[in-house]
Coordinates of all heavy atoms in Angstrom, one line a residue:
Chain A
A160 N 143.3 102.1 79.1 CA 144.4 103.1 79.1 C 143.6 104.4 79.3 O 142.7 104.8 78.5 CB 145.1 103.1 77.8
I161 N 144.0 105.2 80.3 CA 143.4 106.5 80.5 C 144.5 107.6 80.6 O 145.7 107.2 80.7 CB 142.6 106.6 81.8 CG1 143.4 106.2 83.0 CG2 141.4 105.6 81.7 CD1 142.6 106.3 84.4
F162 N 144.1 108.8 80.4 CA 145.1 109.9 80.2 C 145.9 109.6 78.9 O 147.1 109.8 78.9 CB 146.0 110.1 81.4 CG 145.4 110.5 82.7 CD1 145.0 109.6 83.7 CD2 145.1 111.9 82.9 CE1 144.3 110.1 84.8 CE2 144.4 112.3 84.0 CZ 144.1 111.4 85.0
T163 N 145.1 109.1 78.0 CA 145.7 108.8 76.7 C 145.9 110.0 75.9 O 145.3 111.1 76.2 CB 144.9 107.8 75.9 OG1 143.5 108.3 76.0 CG2 145.0 106.4 76.5
G164 N 146.7 109.9 74.8 CA 146.7 110.9 73.8 C 145.7 110.7 72.7 O 144.5 110.7 73.0
Y169 N 145.7 103.0 67.7 CA 145.7 101.7 68.3 C 145.1 100.7 67.3 O 144.2 100.9 66.7 CB 144.9 101.7 69.6 CG 145.3 102.7 70.7 CD1 146.4 103.5 70.5 CD2 144.6 102.7 71.9 CE1 146.8 104.4 71.6 CE2 144.9 103.6 72.9 CZ 146.0 104.4 72.7 OH 146.4 105.3 73.7
V182 N 148.8 98.4 73.8 CA 149.1 98.8 75.1 C 150.4 99.6 75.1 O 150.5 100.6 75.8 CB 149.2 97.6 76.1 CG1 149.6 98.0 77.5 CG2 147.9 96.8 76.1
M183 N 151.4 99.1 74.4 CA 152.6 99.8 74.3 C 152.5 101.2 73.7 O 153.2 102.2 74.1 CB 153.7 99.0 73.6 CG 154.0 97.7 74.3 SD 154.4 97.8 76.1 CE 155.9 98.8 76.1
K184 N 151.6 101.3 72.7 CA 151.3 102.7 72.1 C 150.8 103.6 73.2 O 151.1 104.8 73.2 CB 150.4 102.5 70.9 CG 151.1 102.1 69.7 CD 150.1 102.0 68.5 CE 150.8 101.3 67.3 NZ 149.8 100.8 66.3
A185 N 149.8 103.1 73.9 CA 149.2 103.9 75.0 C 150.3 104.3 76.0 O 150.3 105.5 76.4 CB 148.1 103.1 75.6
A186 N 151.1 103.3 76.4 CA 152.2 103.7 77.3 C 153.1 104.7 76.8 O 153.6 105.6 77.5 CB 152.9 102.4 77.7
A187 N 153.4 104.6 75.5 CA 154.2 105.6 74.8 C 153.6 107.0 74.9 O 154.3 108.0 74.9 CB 154.5 105.3 73.4
Q188 N 152.3 107.1 75.0 CA 151.6 108.3 75.2 C 151.5 108.8 76.6 O 150.7 109.7 77.0 CB 150.2 108.3 74.6 CG 150.1 108.1 73.1 CD 148.7 107.8 72.6 OE1 147.8 107.7 73.3 NE2 148.5 107.7 71.2
H189 N 152.2 108.0 77.5 CA 152.2 108.3 78.9 C 150.8 108.1 79.6 O 150.5 108.7 80.5 CB 152.7 109.7 79.2 CG 154.0 110.0 78.7 ND1 155.1 109.4 79.2 CD2 154.4 110.8 77.7 CE1 156.2 109.8 78.5 NE2 155.8 110.6 77.6
A190 N 150.1 107.1 79.0 CA 148.8 106.8 79.6 C 149.0 106.0 80.9 O 150.1 105.5 81.2 CB 148.0 105.9 78.6
F191 N 147.9 106.1 81.7 CA 147.9 105.2 82.9 C 147.1 104.0 82.5 O 146.0 104.1 82.0 CB 147.2 106.0 84.1 CG 147.1 105.2 85.3 CD1 148.1 105.3 86.3 CD2 146.0 104.4 85.6 CE1 148.0 104.5 87.5 CE2 145.9 103.6 86.7 CZ 146.9 103.7 87.7
I192 N 147.7 102.8 82.7 CA 147.1 101.6 82.2 C 146.8 100.6 83.3 O 147.6 100.4 84.2 CB 148.1 100.9 81.2 CG1 148.4 101.9 80.0 CG2 147.7 99.6 80.7 CD1 149.6 101.6 79.2
K220 N 156.9 98.6 82.4 CA 156.3 99.8 83.0 C 155.1 100.2 82.2 O 154.8 101.4 82.2 CB 157.3 101.0 83.1 CG 158.7 100.7 83.7 CD 158.6 100.5 85.2 CE 160.0 100.3 85.8 NZ 159.9 99.6 87.0
H223 N 150.0 99.7 85.3 CA 150.1 100.6 86.5 C 149.1 100.3 87.5 O 149.2 100.8 88.7 CB 150.0 102.1 86.1 CG 150.9 102.4 84.9 ND1 150.4 102.7 83.7 CD2 152.2 102.4 84.8 CE1 151.4 102.9 82.8 NE2 152.5 102.8 83.5
R287 N 145.9 112.3 88.3 CA 147.0 111.5 87.8 C 148.1 111.3 88.8 O 148.6 110.2 88.9 CB 147.6 112.2 86.5 CG 148.7 111.4 85.8 CD 148.2 110.1 85.4 NE 149.3 109.2 85.1 CZ 149.7 109.0 83.8 NH1 149.1 109.5 82.8 NH2 150.7 108.2 83.5
D291 N 149.3 107.6 90.1 CA 150.7 107.2 90.0 C 151.3 106.9 91.4 O 152.1 106.0 91.5 CB 151.6 108.3 89.3 CG 151.3 108.5 87.8 OD1 150.7 107.5 87.3 OD2 151.5 109.6 87.3

Side-chain angles (χ1 to χ4, degrees):
Chain A
I161 57 174
F162 294 97
T163 47
Y169 300 0
V182 178
M183 295 312 293
K184 280 179 189 162
Q188 291 172 359
H189 302 292
F191 180 90
I192 297 164
K220 310 288 186 205
H223 312 110
R287 180 62 192 261
D291 288 340

